């Protein structure tokens, strides 16, 4: 089932994601910077990012739409 919940402008969200079977998302130091470059390049103008935490096998984002 595909469930979509619209993101509400002005609302804050804690977004997180984990690798499949707890496998790493980031293998080398350069992978962290690549992720951040892609993230900020894609999300600029859509969200305000207040905090992020990138760990080897998952990440957290605290954003406002």
């Amino acid at each position: 089932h595909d469930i979509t919940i619209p993101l509400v402008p002005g609302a804050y969200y804690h977004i997180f994601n984990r690798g499949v079977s707890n496998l790493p998302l980031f293998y080398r130091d350069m992978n962290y910077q690549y992720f951040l470059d892609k993230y900020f390049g894609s999300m600029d103008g859509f969200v305000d990012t207040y905090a992020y935490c990138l760990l080897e096998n998952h990440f957290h984002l605290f954003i406002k739409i």
Side-chain angles (χ1 to χ4, degrees):
H1 300 279
D2 288 337
I3 299 173
T4 57
I5 301 170
L7 299 178
V8 178
Y12 294 88
Y13 294 92
H14 170 213
I15 297 173
F16 57 94
N17 201 356
R18 180 184 326 219
V20 174
S21 297
N22 245 1
L23 292 172
L25 293 171
F26 307 103
Y27 291 90
R28 292 184 265 165
D29 288 345
M30 64 189 288
N31 297 145
Y32 294 94
Q33 189 60 54
Y34 180 82
F35 176 89
L36 291 174
D37 291 344
K38 292 294 185 183
Y39 170 76
F40 284 110
S42 299
M43 301 310 288
D44 187 36
F46 296 103
V47 302
D48 294 322
T49 302
Y50 289 93
Y52 61 85
C53 181
L54 306 180
L55 300 160
E56 183 181 69
N57 67 345
H58 69 286
F59 65 85
H60 298 264
L61 305 167
F62 182 61
I63 65 168
K64 180 180 175 186
I65 303 300

